[in-house]
Amino acid sequence: MTTTADTPVTTRTHAPLGRLLGAELRWVLRRPRTLVVLGLLALVPLAIAIGVATAGGPPSGRGPGLVAEIAGNGFVLPVVALGLALALLLPLAVAQAAADAIAGEAATGTLRGLLLAPVGRVRLVVMKSAGVVMVAVLAVLLIAVVGMVAGTVVVGGAQGTLVTLSGTTLGVGEALGRIALVAVWTVGQLLAVGAVALAISTLTEHPLVVLASVLGGLIVFGVLSAIPSLEWLQPVLLTTGFSAGTDVLRDPLPFDNLWSSTIRALVYIAIGLVVTVVRMRRRDA
């Protein structure tokens, strides 16, 4: 078949975004360290459930913090597990994924091939961000689902009910809604951590630097938030709202802390993604 000068010739200048996303998600799931981290996170609610059951189910009001509320009230377990994991383990998982996404690729030399390929720098950021989002969603889902199962089977309590910190009892539908709400909120906080980690990942070729920077920053934020004289810094510290997830255990549900922490997370996400895109567009292959 011959073509004439008037026949338009179409050439693909960019790889299909769907194919790129599929390849990235498969690559992330095939990393042994990703699977190991997800497996360890799934053990968090199970370990808490076994600990509460082994302790003989202390009455409500005794024990360390909200952990005491789990006894005989299994639907509290996923909320408590997510809150405990958000302090360090969940950010560690997301920061590791972000570190591998760009700095890890640069360290192994594969990022150069991606920068030279017909992908586009913005598409590359979208592709790498999708991997981080998937790790965050999977990690939260694992803790929430395992927490609900372990809370029902191991801890027990009134079938299909949730006793709130306010003393009221919620039915199974509303209880699942509260758990879903805290899961979505937790994903939002993790995406803020992931966006910052991606931005840092564009500044170095060493994944450990990204992990140390993110976790060190979260620890410093936590220390600063505990100093009364620095209370004016609270609105800008990402960790300020990390405890807001437990508000879903109150009735009526207070939204103030959930909204403020969500807005703060969105600001961090926007800043992190802007820095990542700018850095990747200026990065030399």
Side-chain angles (χ1 to χ4, degrees), residues 68-115:
E69 302 294 334
I70 300 175
N73 194 14
F75 273 177
V76 174
L77 177 58
V79 178
V80 173
L82 286 171
L84 293 177
L86 184 59
L88 184 61
L89 295 179
L90 283 172
L92 173 63
V94 174
Q96 176 186 280
D100 287 336
I102 297 178
E105 298 271 15
T108 58
T110 54
L111 182 63
R112 178 179 175 84
L114 289 173
L115 294 176

Side-chain angles (χ1 to χ4, degrees), residues 217-223 225 237-243 264 268:
L218 291 177
I219 293 173
V220 171
F221 278 12
V223 172
S225 64
L237 299 179
L238 180 60
T239 56
T240 298
F242 275 11
S243 61
R264 188 181 302 110
Y268 272 89

